[in-house]
Amino acid sequence: MKLNNYEIKGIIKVALLFFAFLIGFSSLWFTNNLVKKLASQERDKIATWANATRQIASSDGDNDINFIYEIIQGNTTIPVILTDEKGEVIGSRNLDSTYNIVTDRKIEKKIEDMKAQNEPIEVLLEDGKKNIIYYENSLLLSQLKVYPYFQLGVIGLFLVMSYFAFSYSRTSEQNKVWAGMSKETAHQLGTPISSLMGWVDYLKESENNVPQKVLDEIDHDMQRLSLITERFSKIGSEPTLVSYNLYDVLEESVTYINNRTSIKVDISLKNEELFKKVSVNVNKPLFAWVV
């Protein structure tokens, strides 16, 4: 079965939409897997950091303190807060410089946020006490979580803009085609209409006993055809506005319609005096078309 252009365009649109969803799903799946791996690695780093902290707290001088300090100092990306079992802040790392762990009440809110984001890690000390490590995702991990949605948003915005651009281009092209066809129609109608008007003039001047009323009505219809031709020729062009009395323009259309409708139908203008006082800038052929 042969498909027409509209069916082919529909299939192409569905295919493009399918591939767009496939790209979006693949991006989300890949990024989510990457985020999970990074989150696992960060928790392992914090666990190592916690173990180093425990060894520092219980060190008797036999351990390699410098190596342990290097482990602790090696964390340069993950925000960490260390508290005792009573919740008193002992230390912190990679926090914003606006935090003051001694006097700032915001530190308590920060601890609650960290607790909600990641499960705290308890560090058991040799004296039976324990410290608690709170931490949150690094800036890189937080950005990676948001990145796929930002990427999809940009892709979606690009697709929407492309769709409207192509739609506008297609509509503009169609309008140009219709305007060209209208002008060509007006041009083709011009020749027979001119010929018919000549024949009407011939009938008026000849002695063929054609009633004058018939000739007048034929003449009115020819003028109407000329008006229609002029309307078609103006499609796609900037209309020229001329000042007319509103009553004269409306009365001309009403008179033409009344002469060609049933005698049971009467079309008339109300508030004629008001219309006679109004002048408007219109394109008469196009305005009469609307009326």
Side-chain angles (χ1 to χ4, degrees):
M1 182 178 65
K2 187 176 181 180
L3 300 177
N4 57 43
N5 290 335
Y6 289 102
E7 291 174 334
I8 294 175
K9 289 181 180 179
I11 293 174
I12 293 175
K13 288 180 180 178
V14 172
L16 290 175
L17 188 62
F18 171 77
F19 281 112
F21 276 112
L22 182 62
I23 292 172
F25 176 79
S26 301
S27 177
L28 285 175
W29 178 81
F30 177 78
T31 307
N32 285 336
N33 282 345
L34 183 60
V35 166
K36 289 179 181 179
K37 291 179 181 179
L38 285 176
S40 177
Q41 290 179 5
E42 288 192 355
R43 186 165 183 85
D44 291 341
K45 288 181 180 180
I46 292 299
T48 303
W49 194 86
N51 187 43
T53 302
R54 181 183 61 79
Q55 292 188 37
I56 286 289
S58 59
S59 175
D60 56 3
D62 295 332
N63 296 326
D64 190 349
I65 300 299
N66 291 331
F67 176 71
I68 297 174
Y69 268 118
E70 286 180 3
I71 294 176
I72 294 176
Q73 296 296 324
N75 174 28
T76 59
T77 58
I78 306 173
V80 178
I81 296 177
L82 178 65
T83 70
D84 59 19
E85 56 188 359
K86 296 180 180 180
E88 296 293 332
V89 178
I90 300 174
S92 65
R93 187 160 183 79
N94 301 323
L95 286 184
D96 192 286
S97 58
T98 58
Y99 287 98
N100 188 318
I101 63 173
V102 178
T103 61
D104 199 342
R105 301 289 296 179
K106 291 192 302 180
I107 200 71
E108 297 179 2
K109 178 65 169 56
K110 190 67 174 177
I111 290 175
E112 292 298 323
D113 293 340
M114 288 181 171
K115 187 188 299 185
Q117 189 175 106
N118 294 299
E119 184 179 354
I121 297 177
E122 294 184 354
V123 181
L124 297 177
L125 305 178
E126 290 185 354
D127 57 2
K129 296 181 180 180
K130 65 179 179 180
N131 290 341
I132 302 175
I133 296 177
Y134 300 93
Y135 71 100
E136 66 181 2
N137 297 331
S138 64
L139 179 61
L140 175 61
L141 184 57
S142 299
Q143 290 176 340
L144 278 176
K145 286 184 176 181
V146 178
Y147 173 74
Y149 301 100
F150 173 77
Q151 182 185 33
L152 290 178
V154 173
I155 294 174
L157 180 62
F158 175 76
L159 290 176
V160 170
M161 293 178 63
S162 299
Y163 173 79
F164 280 110
F166 283 119
S167 296
Y168 175 79
S169 177
R170 184 176 65 252
T171 303
S172 178
E173 183 178 353
Q174 290 175 347
N175 290 338
K176 289 181 180 179
V177 171
W178 284 114
M181 292 178 63
S182 299
K183 292 180 182 297
E184 180 62 22
T185 301
H187 176 71
Q188 295 297 332
L189 286 174
T191 301
I193 289 175
S194 299
S195 178
L196 289 173
M197 293 178 70
W199 282 110
V200 171
D201 291 337
Y202 171 78
L203 290 175
K204 288 180 179 179
E205 296 174 359
S206 64
E207 297 179 359
N208 291 321
N209 297 322
V210 179
Q212 185 62 36
K213 183 178 180 180
V214 173
L215 292 175
D216 291 340
E217 291 303 322
I218 293 175
D219 188 52
H220 288 159
D221 287 336
M222 294 306 304
Q223 292 178 8
R224 191 71 175 181
L225 282 174
S226 298
L227 180 63
I228 293 173
T229 302
E230 186 178 359
R231 289 170 181 168
F232 273 94
S233 67
K234 293 183 181 298
I235 292 178
S237 303
E238 187 73 21
T240 302
L241 304 182
V242 181
S243 179
Y244 289 99
N245 181 271
L246 183 58
Y247 174 81
D248 294 338
V249 177
L250 294 175
E251 180 63 22
E252 184 177 330
S253 297
V254 169
T255 301
Y256 178 83
I257 295 173
N258 275 331
N259 291 336
R260 285 155 181 78
T261 55
S262 172
I263 58 175
K264 297 180 180 180
V265 178
D266 180 53
I267 301 175
S268 61
L269 295 175
K270 294 183 178 181
N271 301 322
E272 294 183 1
E273 295 301 323
L274 178 62
F275 285 127
K276 290 179 180 179
K277 298 177 182 179
V278 178
S279 295
V280 291
N281 292 325
V282 296
N283 184 283
K284 191 174 180 180
L286 298 180
F287 182 78
W289 197 357
V290 176
V291 175

